[in-house]
Every structure is written in C-alpha cells, then in structure tokens.
Amino acid sequence: MRAMNLLWWCLSISGWALIPTAALIHDGLDNLPGSEYDFIVVGGGTAGNVIANRLTEQPEWRVLVIESGPSYAKETGDPGWSWKSLQTYIRKVGVTLYLMLSFPAYRQVAQNEKWMEPVDRHNTTGQFDPSVHSVTGINAVSLAGYPQITDPRVLATTMDAPDEFPFNQDMNSGSPIGVGWLQSTIKRGRRSSSASSYLSPKYLGRPNLDILVNARVTRVLPTGQRSSGSQHAFRTVEIAQSSTGPRVRKQVTASKEVILSAGTIGTPHILLSSGIGDTSELEAAGVEPALHLPDVGKNLQEHPLIQSFWSVNSNDTSTLYPRDADVATQNLNQWKETHTGPFVVNGATHLIYNRLPNDSGILNRYGDPSSGDNSPHFETILFIGHPMASLQGHFIGHANLVVSPTSRAPFFLVIMTFVNRSSFQGGSITLKSSDPFIEPLIDPGLLDSEFDKLTLREAVKCSLRFFAGPAWKGFVIGPVGGLVNATTDEELDEWIQQTAKAGDHPVGTAAMSARNAKHGVVNPDLRLKHASGLRVIDASVLVGRNIFEQ
C-alpha cells in the first residue's frame, strides 16, 4: 500500500488542499456522498491517478478514487503490448520535441511527457536527445538541476574506457546501453508525480470525480447472483476507515468496473483477502474461496541490489548530506525558499547500463534472460554520500542492480547495482491472516538464481574497474566496508549474500498472460481471468518472458 500514500502527500505539499476545486476530497466513510459510481479506482498511486484522469475525461462517468494514505506482445499473444504499440500511449500521440519546435500545429496536442529545463537552467546540450521527448504532456521530466562533484569525472570515464562505459546521450531513446544523464520526473525543483500532475487542480475541478482518503479497501465482493455457467462479477468494494478503533465497513458498487491499482503488494493482498487465489491456500488462511486463480500473489519478481561505498578526497559539503544536520538544514531551507540546491536532485545524476560480454561463461551456462542485444543485464547508479552517520570522512557510492527479466555520509560515493532477473521460481505474496489489516507475508525471492548471484559479482567488479580509471585518480581513496576484504570471487559472493536487498521494483504478482492461457491472473486487456467487472492496472501485471516457461 506504500505507493498509495503518494496521492495525499503530493497534493498536500503542492498546496492542493488550499485551492478550491469541484472534485470532492472526502476524509471519512460517512462523508462519502453515495454508494454507486461508474468506476471505482482502488489506489491513488502512479497508475490509479492516471486512470482516474483519463476516465473523468468523459463527463457522464462518475469516478471514485480510494486512497489508503494522507516485450509483453510475445508473452500475451497481443501485439498491443509490443514496444512500438506502447509508445503511442507513453507519448499519448507520439509528437516529439523536434516536431513541436518544427511544426507549430503540434504544440497544442496533449501527451504524457512534458519535458522541462532543469531548475538551475544549465546548458543541457548533449545531455539528452530532444527528438525522443515531448513538451506538451502532463507529467514533467527533467535533468538534474544541481551539479555533483562527480559529473566531470563520470564523463571523463566514458572517454577513457569507451568500450565498457560508452557515453549514451539519451537512455530513453530505446537504446539504453552505456553511461548517461539521469532523467527524473521533476518540475521546477519539485517532484512531478502522478498525483501532482494527473490529479492537479486543473483536473480536480471535474465535478464527476470523488476522492476518498485515509480509507482502505479490504475486499472486492461478488455483485449480484451468479447464474449457472456464468462468470463471477466483482463490482463492489468493501471499505474500512482504519485498522484502529471501530472497523466500520462500507460497500460501494461500480456500474461498469472496479480497477485495482494498489500496487504489486497491495493488489494481490486485496485479491487474496477477497477469496481470489489458490483455493487450498485460501482455506488454510481462513478465507472463503470465491474464485480459483492459483497465480495470484505468485511470480513476484524483484531486482536484487548491492550498495558499495568509496572514501574520497574532497571537501565538498554536498557529500555530507544528510549526515551533517547543519548542512541538511541549510539545504532544506534553500529548497523551501527557492526550490534550488542539492534537494532538487534525487541523489544521482548518472546511470550506467551494462551487458555481460557475449563470451561470458554466465551466459554460456545459463543462457541470456534479457530481451536482446540492446537490453542490459545490470544497472549501476552513482550516488553522493553514505547513510551511516558514525563514519568519518567523505564518500561516494554505487548501487548495482540485476535488471534482466529474471547513503550518504562523509564523502562517500555510493554505487547501487541491479541485475536483470534470470530463470527462477520467483517470490510470493501470501496471507498471514484472514484479517485484511494484517500485512501479508512478502518473499521477494532474492538470489534464488545463480545467474543473479554471478551477475551481481560481475557488476561489483565493473564498479571496481570504473573507479580504477584515471579520472578518479587522487579523488577516490578506496572502498570501505565489507568490500575492502572481498578480494576473491568466493569472498565477493559471501559479501553479496550478506548485503543484497530488494531494489524496490517489484512486479508480477497479478501476472498478465494470453487470454487462453491456463496460468496468469489477468488477460491482455487487464481484466481478471474468469470474471467480469474487475481489472488490475499497476505493476503487478508485468512479467518477465521466462516466468511461465518453466
């Protein structure tokens, strides 16, 4: 449910609560004006807010959003999920910045992306490709609006070692391999989320939109009597105000559809609590089965992540954030007053996407889980600082993640690496209790694949080579923490096993599959299998091509 808290938080900090709107924001079940809507959207997160925006474009449709807090074309057999087809929706109509500048007639066309200059207005020539971006959309995208001391060294490394670390002008062009400038959803120094963009005051003015906050959907319920041989219909949701005090429940019904957008954790939790899942597992948890869909909550995919840190020779105070309270307060005050300074950056300015060599023993042994030669096996994010306040000095770091389908402190550079997932059994979301207020059991299934373990090892070695380059001489002193003593493959493997964690990119727990497939949870149109009245629209429907091959 964590993603669902985004709506209330973003609207609050944007001053939304101070602006009169026609849309009604209800903070309590008793204040909800009715019990029937055309569409009910469960979850005010990334997907739910977009859906609410699009649905309320039809003035005759009444929509309720319930918020709890203040290549797929091959897999599904549906060409609409191909990369080329999806671009129409990502850009809304496919008009790029180049066309906008060249042909004035295109300037009034609405799209998803709204490219904006960074808040510091630095020269961005060569840092992105204007031809693959739009300037007329709803959600703002920008480059970092505050320079980092590592920026020139990162770019120098792309010239010193172009074979392993080639410069990539724009990773969102469809060709992500290399080192490039990070693009973030930031608008004039503030986060541009689906809440602050798709449910901005402009859209909250729609009279056919109601939003219920600080309320939780506990179950979706069958609507009406099911006749013999007919599908289950789930168009009613049960809502509770909170897990503390009297648990008053209210039911609201959609005449058309209920749309679950509660996220990879929240969506399967609601489905399972509603009796939609594996019948035997539901009965064991004390839940009465309503629909046998054994893949609900299964196939959880997550990117395993490793963070490594390096001590650096620098006196730049930006690397002291947030460990030094005085520096953090100064930066925060600057942001509050002008929306400038270190707080306009999300912690990183560059990304690195790498593939294992074609002759890699890992690929020879386990095969290539990626979608092709243009897809990375692991990702590296460069950070400033170190999260441990007790450490003395200055640091930078790398975050390494396996991304194939399968920190801050004295001067620390943080490297995070993500690894693309290979063939594996996957994690799961299961019920701990029949009480929907008891959080589910989450098994991310990290490092259950030898490919993941070995690729993380190679990613860490890649980071070591990155900082060994001439651009970092005299600046990087050396690694700190457990990486210092991990000098052999065996020691690296042990360190990875002890320190790997989830990369916060979970998908797959309400997996999409072909319409006639016996596996999966939703069809390519995102409707729940063997049922009517219920769709799932969030990251839980996404799957890697290898998930159902086993």
Side-chain angles (χ1 to χ4, degrees), residues 22 397 445 474 490:
E490 292 74 16

Side-chain angles (χ1 to χ4, degrees), residues 81-412:
W81 285 98
S82 68
W83 171 259
K84 183 177 181 180
S85 296
L86 287 175
Q87 289 302 301
T88 302
Y89 298 96
I90 293 172
R91 301 181 185 179
K92 187 68 189 296
V93 291
V95 180
T96 65
L97 180 57
Y98 168 77
L99 290 175
M100 292 294 303
L101 297 176
S102 304
F103 303 99
Y106 282 111
R107 293 176 186 170
Q108 301 303 317
V109 182
Q111 303 159 8
N112 171 63
E113 181 190 48
K114 182 180 180 66
W115 185 269
M116 303 192 70
E117 67 174 355
V119 69
D120 63 356
R121 298 184 176 181
H122 73 267
N123 185 357
T124 59
T125 302
Q127 295 183 0
F128 78 110
D129 181 358
S131 70
V132 298
H133 293 277
S134 160
V135 295
T136 63
I138 295 175
N139 199 22
V141 179
S142 183
L143 295 166
Y146 186 81
Q148 302 286 2
I149 57 173
T150 54
D151 290 350
R153 300 180 190 274
V154 172
L155 297 179
T157 302
T158 66
M159 293 182 284
D160 295 334
D163 291 337
E164 184 171 16
F165 304 109
F167 177 71
N168 186 332
Q169 184 180 18
D170 200 310
M171 292 178 170
N172 284 320
S173 65
S175 299
I177 304 298
V179 182
W181 292 88
L182 177 65
Q183 298 171 14
S184 303
T185 50
I186 296 175
K187 180 179 181 180
R188 301 188 184 96
R190 307 171 78 173
R191 174 70 186 275
S192 178
S193 69
S194 68
S196 62
S197 58
Y198 280 89
L199 288 186
S200 67
K202 173 182 177 181
Y203 303 110
L204 286 172
R206 293 171 177 169
N208 57 334
L209 173 64
D210 285 340
I211 299 174
L212 177 63
V213 298
N214 293 318
R216 182 166 180 168
V217 169
T218 53
R219 295 184 299 167
V220 292
L221 304 173
T223 304
Q225 295 295 321
R226 180 193 178 203
S227 60
S228 177
S230 66
Q231 286 188 326
H232 295 268
F234 295 94
R235 292 189 175 89
T236 300
V237 298
E238 179 184 76
I239 314 171
Q241 191 67 45
S242 69
S243 60
T244 60
R247 297 187 180 180
V248 178
R249 307 291 174 95
K250 182 171 183 173
Q251 295 183 8
V252 184
T253 299
S255 63
K256 299 184 183 299
E257 287 186 349
V258 170
I259 299 168
L260 276 184
S261 298
T264 301
I265 310 300
T267 285
H269 188 205
I270 292 173
L271 291 174
L272 292 170
S273 297
S274 306
I276 303 172
D278 185 277
T279 297
S280 60
E281 294 178 4
L282 292 171
E283 291 174 339
V287 174
E288 181 179 353
L291 176 61
H292 181 60
L293 278 180
D295 282 327
V296 172
K298 306 298 194 300
N299 307 311
L300 173 60
Q301 297 182 75
E302 175 61 285
H303 290 155
L305 175 149
I306 286 289
Q307 287 182 317
S308 49
F309 301 90
W310 275 257
S311 178
V312 297
N313 180 23
S314 174
N315 292 317
D316 192 311
T317 56
S318 66
T319 59
L320 294 173
Y321 159 78
R323 189 175 55 99
D324 187 295
D326 292 336
V327 171
T329 300
Q330 178 182 348
N331 293 340
L332 179 59
N333 289 338
Q334 178 181 354
W335 181 84
K336 287 180 177 179
E337 294 173 4
T338 64
H339 292 138
T340 62
F343 273 28
V344 305
V345 180
N346 63 8
T349 55
H350 291 87
L351 291 178
I352 308 172
Y353 284 111
N354 291 93
R355 284 184 58 81
L356 296 169
N358 290 333
D359 60 355
S360 166
I362 300 174
L363 297 181
N364 291 335
R365 182 175 181 182
Y366 298 102
D368 187 352
S370 74
S371 58
D373 293 340
N374 194 39
S375 297
H377 293 122
F378 59 92
E379 170 189 3
T380 302
I381 308 172
L382 180 67
F383 284 89
I384 299 295
H386 192 290
M388 292 183 61
S390 60
L391 290 177
Q392 298 299 313
H394 298 272
F395 306 88
I396 56 177
H398 267 178
N400 303 115
L401 302 91
V402 182
V403 293
S404 290
T406 50
S407 57
R408 307 134 162 80
F411 278 103
F412 274 116

Side-chain angles (χ1 to χ4, degrees), residues 308 457 460-461 464 479-499:
S308 49
R457 180 208 292 171
V460 173
K461 289 182 178 180
L464 290 168
V480 297
L483 186 57
V484 174
N485 299 318
T487 58
T488 67
D489 285 350
E490 292 74 16
E491 290 169 342
L492 274 176
D493 292 344
E494 181 179 358
W495 175 68
I496 289 170
Q497 191 73 39
Q498 293 174 349
T499 58

